[in-house]
Amino acid sequence: MDWGDRQMKKEKLSYVGKSVKRKDALLKVEGQSRYADDYVFEGMLYAAAVRSPKPRIKILGISGAKAEKIPGYVTLVTCKDIQGVKQWPIVLDDYPFLCEKESKFEGETVALVVAETLRAARQAAKLVRIKYKELPFLTDPLKSLEKKSLKIYGSDNVFSRFIIKKGDAKAAMKKADITVKDEFSTNYQVHGYLETQCAIAVPEPGNLMTVHSTTQCPFYVHDAVAAVLGIGYNKVKIIQTVTGGGFGGKEDVPALVASHAAICAVKTNRPVKLVYDRKEDFISMSKRHPSWSSVSYGAKKNGKITSCIIKYVLDGGAYSTLSPIVLWRGAVHAAGPYKIENILIEAYAVATNKVPSGAFRGFGQPQIVFAQESLIDDLSAKLNIDPMDLRLKNVLVPGAKTSTGQKIEASCGLKETLLAVRKKSDWNKKIKNKKSLGEKVRGMGVSAVYYGVGLGAKGKFLDRAGAYVNVFRDASVNVNVGNTEMGQGALTVLSQIAAETLNAPYKNIRVQEVDTSKVSDSGPTVASRTTLMSGNAIIEASAPLRNRIFSMAKSMLLKKGSKSSGAMTAFQGMFSMGGKKVSFNEVVAECWAKRLKMGEQGWHIAPHTTFDDKNGQGNVYSVYSYNANIAEVEVDKETGVIKPIKMTCAYDVGKIVNPALAEGQAEGGILQGMSWALYENLVYKNGKMLNPNFTDYVLANTNDKPEYDIIFVEKFYDRGPYKAKGMGEVPLIGMAGAIGNAVKNACGIRIKKVPLLPEDVWSRLKNKNKEKVK
């Protein structure tokens, strides 16, 4: 496991740190990549979902009599056709694979129709009649928490709750010289992946099942399919197809889609494809949790923050899915990346009769970071201290302790990221000299972020990763891992790590899409853990291969007449010593001739972490990544429209394995966070989603993108592959907070909900002007 350290210290790196060409670039640009819906199997049928028409119903009966008249109709599938368990195994196991007696949200799958064509399946599904009785329902998470509210989950409608207690926050708040308190809310965010959900279940002789799925978590799919069919794991194989975007939206729910396809395939004994259209993807698949929070900070006159009190509520929707995991991350980060001695955080994920919420890039953090960073700016105004200076005075540095009492070790560059964006954006000058162009005014806002890399203490039982590295006789290298490529560049970064460790030519490396039969359960592809976990697993698998290859290379060089006293160097597929050279391909051929073992497995588990459920204290993550953002925006006071002008963002994510991909991750995350902050407004009325499409649900596009200024501050992490940490989630998290602060700096109003819609800005400005007149 020290190969990365050795190369960082002693050798010039061949591939790590270089912007090598993406492995899948040409395949995607030329349209050669095969996504799930591109696959066709002999005798394949098509399934379509029959969905609940109301927010909550009691199911009295299901009839397919009219559907049967559609040409090509094959069968109707209901919960009675499930041969295994009825509940989807995920966290709390409260979500039924198919409804039996009750449906809890509009759009929930009640049954499935199977037909010879997709058109026939969808036509027949519309004709299936559900006999039902409407039931009372809940849509407001705060009302759901009330003692006298309707109970739709357990005795209190609470899926999960966490408390973080450090010091005496209430007493410290009373003693504080300055206090600020406010309430904030955020709406849903739709994942917006280009490829909708799709799975193909293929039954095979011997009661076997193979599923081809667009997914970022093949092992979740493996769990669900084995459970719903009631068969052993060794009889189920999940193959990840090229995945057209995920962002968390293909973490949990692909398991449900795949299970539905598998039930249909078993009943018909034929391959079955289930693919969603955009509307049903909207109304039934997971979203970023809506949130509500009450946040208070107390500080001394000199700007030292002394206390923080937070109540944080997430709207989990009808079923828990990943809400406990999302809530926990939000809770442990809720106080912000600051040194605060007294903290009290109460966090709840509650049930409503709406689409279940799940993981979305940054899961659980962006909502509360919007609140905390907005209020930190309000605190700076009350203290009459520059917002940047207030943060620099209080941010975490090595040796400081987080809200959970964890001591920050090395690899902490938060202060450096703040200083970097301050200088690069010309903050000191611009913040004092705001531009005004008639009715258009400009402003700047800052946010600071820290992000626990990986699954942390509450998810450590899943925080593992496997790899199998096989060097063929022609010196080509095949790498199997358990974490997925979903557009972020994992195939490329992991290829760089394998090539670096083996000193193989980069072109020789092929990292495959995940096949659950080829590598052990490696947990989910989430939480910015792929580079860290799969990268380390590849290094562990490659280490014994490297020893054999390097030993053989030295032996071959000595036979060529090189002096044994000289040091051998390895660079970009060549081995050199004493003026003699030998290639990786030649060395591998000799290893095969000597019958050396040329395939190895690697297994990596995350370092030990802790969390005390009673007080929320512990070393909750093994390492953190850090980020600072400065947003420059223009506000049109006549219309309320906010135009992002420039985003200056700095990141400490350890060693940058591929600068071009890292910059792409940053730009994509910034735009996605900006889109949530300004445009994305999913509307519910009486339990019904009103805008389940990309016409009425507005996303940022390339015309909306601001100028980007990206900075990397490399604080190496000794336990990371070539000292890397994780980046994928980080760029999105602080964008709403920075933009909200920039709007306030520009025109003096605080918008306390996401998205920051023009009508809200306009209304606040008009009210502000009226108050001035009075």
Side-chain angles (χ1 to χ4, degrees):
M1 270 307 297
D2 63 345
W3 285 117
D5 289 352
R6 291 182 187 179
Q7 286 210 314
M8 289 287 289
K9 293 175 182 177
K10 298 181 179 180
E11 301 175 38
K12 183 180 178 181
L13 295 175
S14 300
Y15 308 107
V16 169
K18 309 294 195 305
S19 294
V20 301
K21 185 172 70 175
R22 278 186 70 127
K23 285 288 185 179
D24 55 352
L26 282 178
L27 291 173
K28 289 181 175 177
V29 169
E30 295 175 353
Q32 295 184 54
S33 295
R34 296 182 70 194
Y35 297 85
D37 197 27
D38 293 326
Y39 286 84
V40 177
F41 294 86
E42 186 177 354
M44 189 173 78
L45 300 170
Y46 295 82
V50 178
R51 301 188 179 279
S52 173
K54 299 292 180 179
R56 184 170 176 239
I57 60 173
K58 180 180 180 181
I59 299 171
L60 304 176
I62 303 173
S63 172
K66 291 184 179 180
E68 292 172 5
K69 297 177 182 179
I70 295 294
Y73 171 91
V74 174
T75 191
L76 178 67
V77 174
T78 69
C79 64
K80 295 176 182 178
D81 294 299
I82 295 174
Q83 298 178 9
V85 302
K86 305 291 186 182
Q87 306 295 112
W88 173 18
I90 182 163
V91 179
L92 300 181
D93 300 358
D94 60 317
Y95 200 148
F97 282 114
L98 290 170
C99 304
E100 184 173 6
K101 296 179 180 179
E102 181 181 333
S103 171
K104 291 188 175 183
F105 70 98
E106 183 196 33
E108 182 174 6
T109 302
V110 175
L112 298 145
V113 169
V114 183
E116 296 288 347
T117 67
L118 177 59
R119 182 183 178 88
R122 288 179 173 171
Q123 283 181 328
K126 291 178 182 178
L127 296 175
V128 172
R129 292 292 174 257
I130 306 170
K131 186 179 180 182
Y132 63 88
K133 176 184 177 182
E134 289 192 54
L135 297 174
F137 60 90
L138 282 169
T139 59
D140 186 334
L142 296 184
K143 288 184 178 178
S144 184
L145 275 175
E146 294 174 0
K147 289 184 178 180
K148 294 183 180 180
S149 69
L150 172 71
K151 299 299 180 284
I152 59 173
Y153 178 84
S155 60
D156 56 7
N157 292 332
V158 177
F159 290 131
S160 184
R161 55 167 55 84
F162 295 103
I163 188 166
I164 312 292
K165 292 178 68 175
K166 178 184 176 186
D168 190 337
K170 292 181 179 180
M173 193 69 73
K174 290 179 181 179
K175 294 178 181 177
D177 296 326
I178 303 291
T179 62
V180 287
K181 181 178 181 179
D182 221 326
E183 296 179 2
F184 301 84
S185 64
T186 65
N187 201 356
Y188 290 98
Q189 186 175 19
V190 177
H191 295 92
Y193 34 69
L194 292 178
E195 177 200 30
T196 58
Q197 301 287 344
C198 182
I200 308 168
V202 183
E204 296 177 359
N207 198 26
L208 306 181
M209 181 63 68
T210 297
V211 176
H212 302 261
S213 171
T214 173
T215 177
Q216 60 189 83
C217 300
F219 296 99
Y220 284 4
V221 180
H222 197 232
D223 290 340
V225 172
V228 77
L229 298 184
I231 60 178
Y233 277 67
N234 63 342
K235 292 190 173 186
V236 176
K237 178 165 65 174
I238 310 301
I239 298 173
Q240 181 219 3
T241 56
V242 175
T243 297
F247 313 113
K250 291 180 182 172
E251 178 179 351
D252 53 340
V253 287
L256 191 63
V257 178
S259 297
H260 290 163
I263 301 165
C264 295
V266 166
K267 184 170 183 178
T268 60
N269 197 32
R270 288 169 65 179
V272 175
K273 177 187 287 187
L274 176 58
V275 58
Y276 282 13
D277 65 26
R278 185 63 65 181
K279 180 180 178 180
E280 59 183 338
D281 203 299
F282 256 86
I283 64 174
S284 66
M285 295 289 95
S286 64
K287 312 282 181 285
R288 187 184 299 286
H289 291 74
S291 78
W292 174 89
S293 56
S294 171
V295 183
S296 305
Y297 285 106
K300 294 181 179 179
K301 291 179 181 178
N302 65 4
K304 170 63 179 173
I305 301 173
T306 57
S307 181
C308 174
I309 299 175
I310 294 174
K311 183 177 181 180
Y312 182 37
V313 179
L314 293 180
D315 183 346
Y319 300 105
S320 63
T321 63
L322 299 172
S323 287
I325 296 167
V326 174
L327 180 71
W328 182 76
R329 174 175 284 277
V332 299
H333 290 88
Y338 305 110
K339 300 173 287 186
I340 307 174
E341 294 178 0
N342 304 283
I343 292 171
L344 176 61
I345 298 164
E346 297 175 280
Y348 304 86
V350 303
T352 60
N353 292 113
K354 295 185 289 186
V355 64
S357 301
F360 193 128
R361 199 174 192 175
F363 57 111
Q365 278 191 247
Q367 299 97 315
I368 194 62
V369 168
F370 168 66
Q372 85 199 13
E373 289 302 288
S374 297
L375 207 61
I376 289 293
D377 254 40
D378 291 351
L379 179 62
S380 76
K382 208 166 182 180
L383 287 163
N384 197 27
I385 296 175
D386 182 286
M388 183 71 74
D389 290 334
L390 181 64
R391 287 172 172 82
L392 286 167
K393 186 178 185 68
N394 290 281
V395 291
L396 294 169
V397 293
K401 291 186 178 182
T402 68
S403 62
T404 68
Q406 179 173 358
K407 184 179 179 182
I408 296 294
E409 304 295 345
S411 187
C412 173
L414 180 55
K415 185 175 182 179
E416 289 88 339
T417 64
L418 281 163
L419 292 171
V421 295
R422 181 178 204 164
K423 180 178 180 181
K424 202 74 182 292
S425 68
D426 202 10
W427 169 276
N428 290 351
K429 180 180 179 181
K430 289 183 178 179
I431 201 71
K432 295 175 182 176
N433 301 293
K434 293 184 291 184
K435 281 188 177 182
S436 180
L437 305 170
E439 291 301 319
K440 295 180 179 180
V441 291
R442 290 191 176 186
M444 302 177 78
V446 60
S447 66
V449 172
Y450 78 132
Y451 176 86
V453 179
L455 300 177
K458 293 297 282 187
K460 62 184 176 183
F461 63 95
L462 289 173
D463 222 353
R464 71 233 167 192
Y468 178 64
V469 179
N470 188 15
V471 184
F472 293 102
R473 64 178 72 250
D474 66 350
S476 62
V477 181
N478 195 72
V479 181
N480 288 103
V481 293
N483 296 127
T484 64
E485 167 70 59
M486 51 182 164
Q488 81 277 41
L491 297 180
T492 301
V493 167
L494 297 179
S495 293
Q496 289 177 260
I497 291 169
E500 193 71 64
T501 309
L502 295 171
N503 190 39
Y506 173 71
K507 65 180 181 180
N508 287 30
I509 309 294
R510 181 192 177 205
V511 179
Q512 292 192 359
E513 272 83 16
V514 178
D515 179 334
T516 58
S517 68
K518 292 183 178 180
V519 65
S520 297
D521 186 341
S522 298
T525 306
V526 298
S528 304
R529 64 188 292 271
T530 298
T531 297
L532 181 62
M533 299 299 292
S534 281
N536 274 333
I538 288 170
I539 291 173
E540 289 191 15
S542 299
L545 295 171
R546 176 186 168 104
N547 286 336
R548 294 174 201 131
I549 292 166
F550 275 50
S551 178
M552 182 61 72
K554 187 168 186 178
S555 176
M556 292 171 71
L557 289 169
L558 289 172
K559 286 182 180 179
K560 283 190 170 189
S562 177
K563 294 181 181 180
S564 59
S565 59
M568 184 180 75
T569 60
F571 186 69
Q572 292 188 346
M574 295 298 296
F575 298 89
S576 306
M577 186 170 67
K580 305 296 180 181
K581 293 184 178 181
V582 64
S583 71
F584 178 80
N585 291 34
E586 292 172 308
V587 175
V588 168
E590 190 64 18
C591 287
W592 273 94
K594 298 293 185 184
R595 296 183 294 177
L596 300 183
K597 185 182 181 186
M598 298 304 286
E600 291 285 354
Q601 290 184 321
W603 187 249
H604 182 73
I605 60 172
H608 181 64
T609 49
T610 61
F611 181 77
D612 188 332
D613 284 309
K614 294 179 180 178
N615 58 19
Q617 297 297 287
N619 295 327
V620 295
Y621 289 98
S622 57
V623 71
Y624 295 86
S625 289
Y626 303 90
N627 159 236
N629 308 288
I630 289 180
E632 297 180 52
V633 306
E634 182 178 272
V635 181
D636 188 327
K637 293 189 290 184
E638 282 296 302
T639 64
V641 171
I642 301 166
K643 181 183 178 181
I645 303 298
K646 184 178 181 181
M647 301 294 173
T648 305
C649 305
Y651 306 93
D652 163 26
V653 293
K655 174 67 180 176
I656 301 297
V657 178
N658 187 306
L661 291 180
E663 190 165 337
Q665 282 282 334
E667 293 182 3
I670 292 167
L671 191 64
Q672 201 169 37
M674 187 191 88
S675 184
W676 178 60
L678 295 176
Y679 310 127
E680 300 187 40
N681 189 37
L682 195 64
V683 179
Y684 260 95
K685 185 175 182 180
N686 297 325
K688 181 180 180 63
M689 192 183 296
L690 299 184
N691 56 333
N693 55 72
F694 287 151
T695 299
D696 301 311
Y697 180 84
V698 180
L699 292 162
N701 59 43
T702 52
N703 292 325
D704 301 306
K705 73 181 183 68
E707 178 186 348
Y708 300 114
D709 199 342
I710 309 299
I711 307 159
F712 292 111
V713 176
E714 294 183 306
K715 291 289 184 177
F716 296 156
Y717 174 47
D718 288 341
R719 293 184 176 184
Y722 296 94
K723 299 187 181 292
K725 295 192 283 190
M727 180 175 179
E729 320 266 335
V730 181
L732 182 149
I733 294 171
M735 294 316 302
I739 290 170
N741 289 336
V743 170
K744 185 177 182 184
N745 176 248
C747 56
I749 60 168
R750 168 67 66 199
I751 303 297
K752 294 181 285 186
K753 66 178 183 177
V754 165
L756 286 74
L757 297 174
E759 51 264 43
D760 293 328
V761 175
W762 181 85
S763 177
R764 287 293 310 280
L765 284 170
K766 292 302 177 186
N767 289 336
K768 180 185 174 185
N769 291 336
K770 287 179 181 178
E771 290 172 5
K772 282 184 178 180
V773 172
K774 290 179 182 180

